[in-house]
């Protein structure tokens, strides 16, 4: 099994390089637009501004051959397996972002709050966030 | 961009068919094992039993050409875009599961609580869950 991902959209953000990116959204990520590929616009129906959604990205600058890292790049930390970290360097560099939907601009642009992803980052899925009791 | 996913592990579960699967973990999913592919075992280092982790799966029985569904298969509900649902039928059928790590059996098996995924489901990523204030 080595399925191929479909590109469902692209991040449009003021973050232009990995050095600009905060490590997590609560450290000051900017609002961003996501341009959905036209063939998938119909799959947005039912999303509402104000909702919390999960954005799945493909962190295309991540190194897929990295299996251990120092958390947050801190040289005082011991090496740790990437599955015990949120590093973008990992076998499948999937990013997960919980964001509030600010605006839906038909047919295929959505505006989201505080997205820590580079301009041009591929988007691979969007799901509604579940109630807090479910943990995400 | 159409990157290929790497298989990092496989679910071993008593859930043998899609009809057996609860819609969400809190509706009675069984505990399951995940067999990590040996080449990725080193990436588990640093995970600890008792932690909450995010398991990303590839819902290989999902229909990738489905763009609208009736939520939870309920015929009384209007059709909705798949990005406004958690349906396994979607362009990239990525499953996201928040589970507690029960046990780590070196070198490459982990036991997790309440996983709503079929036996044989490919696992594509594992990340630590963040603090509740971050929303997942």
């Amino acid at each position: 099994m080595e399925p191929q991902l479909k590109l469902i959209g692209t991040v449009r953000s003021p973050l232009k390089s990995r050095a600009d990116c905060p490590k997590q959204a609560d450290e000051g990520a900017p609002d961003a637009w996501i341009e959905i590929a036209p063939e998938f616009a119909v799959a947005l129906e039912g999303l509402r501004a104000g909702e919390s959604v999960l954005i799945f990205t493909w962190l295309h600058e991540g190194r897929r051959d990295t299996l251990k890292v120092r958390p947050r790049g801190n040289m005082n930390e011991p090496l740790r397996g990437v599955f015990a970290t949120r590093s973008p360097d990992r076998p499948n560099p999937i990013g997960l972002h919980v964001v509030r939907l600010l605006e839906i601009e038909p047919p295929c642009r959505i505006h989201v709050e505080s997205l820590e992803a580079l301009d041009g980052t591929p988007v691979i899925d969007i799901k509604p966030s579940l109630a807090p009791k479910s943990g995400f």
Side-chain angles (χ1 to χ4, degrees), chain A:
Chain A
M1 102 98 201
E2 302 224 320
Q4 279 199 320
L5 289 169
K6 297 182 185 180
L7 173 68
I8 66 134
T10 306
V11 172
R12 297 299 171 209
S13 167
L15 295 175
K16 302 298 184 195
S17 80
R18 196 163 156 174
D20 291 340
C21 284
K23 295 283 193 279
Q24 298 298 338
D26 58 2
E27 295 170 14
D31 301 346
W33 287 91
I34 298 171
E35 289 178 6
I36 302 296
E39 65 269 37
F40 298 120
V42 68
L44 296 174
E45 285 179 28
L47 288 176
R48 298 280 172 258
E51 273 186 280
S52 179
V53 294
L54 307 178
I55 307 289
F56 293 70
T57 56
W58 184 257
L59 303 170
H60 57 307
E61 300 203 354
R63 291 194 51 136
R64 303 188 66 183
D65 56 353
T66 298
L67 297 179
K68 299 188 91 172
V69 294
R70 294 187 201 279
R72 304 176 63 94
N74 183 340
M75 285 301 150
N76 297 320
E77 294 270 350
L79 280 168
R80 188 184 291 188
V82 291
F83 298 147
T85 79
R86 309 278 291 211
S87 170
D89 300 322
R90 53 203 312 117
N92 293 309
I94 297 171
L96 176 63
H97 317 265
V98 184
V99 296
R100 199 162 65 89
L101 255 182
L102 295 173
E103 191 180 345
I104 299 167
E105 187 184 272
C108 39
R109 270 163 47 100
I110 65 176
H111 197 199
V112 301
E113 190 173 54
S114 296
L115 184 68
E116 75 284 22
L118 284 181
D119 185 59
T121 298
V123 173
I124 57 175
D125 201 8
I126 298 172
K127 299 183 199 289
S129 180
L130 294 180
K133 77 175 174 69
S134 301
F136 65 95

